[in-house]
């Protein structure tokens, strides 16, 4: 079964950048849609962005548009989240999620529709 592991989180000043990685530790998630969600203290988990299994379609939340980019690695089974011009409001635990065919999670932005999850990586943006 697919197991996901996130890495790349840390502390950064406002305006800085971070790149998060999501890798498969069990079965590969090749052929799955993948997404990033985040959860800030005291708030519900929210959708950030997603990429289709073939890398040809993306879906961005308003908060991510223009600053964040999702991509798939071309060498190993990895999905990346490039975050630029970070704001203190971006502080959260960031989670990677994967959705196998028939892709019930695509477009819903609901965590419950994405069956595979990592354990998260902390991103903290200082003012």
């Amino acid at each position: 079964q697919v197991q996901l592991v996130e890495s790349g989180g840390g502390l950064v000043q406002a305006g800085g950048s971070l790149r998060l990685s999501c890798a498969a530790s069990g079965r590969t998630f090749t052929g799955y849609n993948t997404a990033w969600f985040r959860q800030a203290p005291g708030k519900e988990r929210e959708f950030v962005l997603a990429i289709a299994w073939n890398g040809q379609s993306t879906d961005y939340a308003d908060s991510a548009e223009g600053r964040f980019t999702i991509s798939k690695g071309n060498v190993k089974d990895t999905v990346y989240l490039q975050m630029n011009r970070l704001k203190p409001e971006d502080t959260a635990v960031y989670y990677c999620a994967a959705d196998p065919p028939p892709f019930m999670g695509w477009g819903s932005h609901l965590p419950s529709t994405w069956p595979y999850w990592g354990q998260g990586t902390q991103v903290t943006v200082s003012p």
Side-chain angles (χ1 to χ4, degrees):
Q1 189 174 27
V2 172
Q3 298 180 19
L4 307 178
V5 180
E6 303 96 337
S7 62
L11 175 65
V12 64
Q13 285 187 290
S17 299
L18 283 175
R19 188 184 72 168
L20 307 184
S21 299
C22 174
S25 62
R27 293 177 57 86
T28 178
F29 53 70
T30 300
Y32 291 18
N33 292 338
T34 53
W36 289 91
F37 291 74
R38 67 185 183 185
Q39 188 165 19
K43 296 185 177 180
E44 298 292 323
R45 190 170 300 186
E46 67 174 356
F47 173 83
V48 180
L49 37 58
I51 189 167
W53 67 273
N54 58 8
Q56 296 181 8
S57 298
T58 55
D59 185 18
Y60 288 77
D62 290 343
S63 61
E65 187 69 46
R67 298 190 300 124
F68 295 178
T69 303
I70 188 170
S71 61
K72 300 187 70 175
N74 60 354
V75 177
K76 57 182 179 179
D77 191 15
T78 308
V79 175
Y80 299 101
L81 171 58
Q82 179 67 47
M83 304 186 292
N84 298 323
R85 302 190 302 281
L86 283 162
K87 306 174 181 178
E89 307 91 86
D90 296 318
T91 296
V93 177
Y94 283 72
Y95 297 90
C96 181
D99 181 24
F103 311 125
M104 297 301 294
W106 186 264
S108 74
H109 297 182
L110 298 175
S112 61
T113 64
W114 293 76
Y116 298 108
W117 292 86
Q119 293 188 321
T121 184
Q122 177 70 48
V123 172
T124 302
V125 184
S126 62

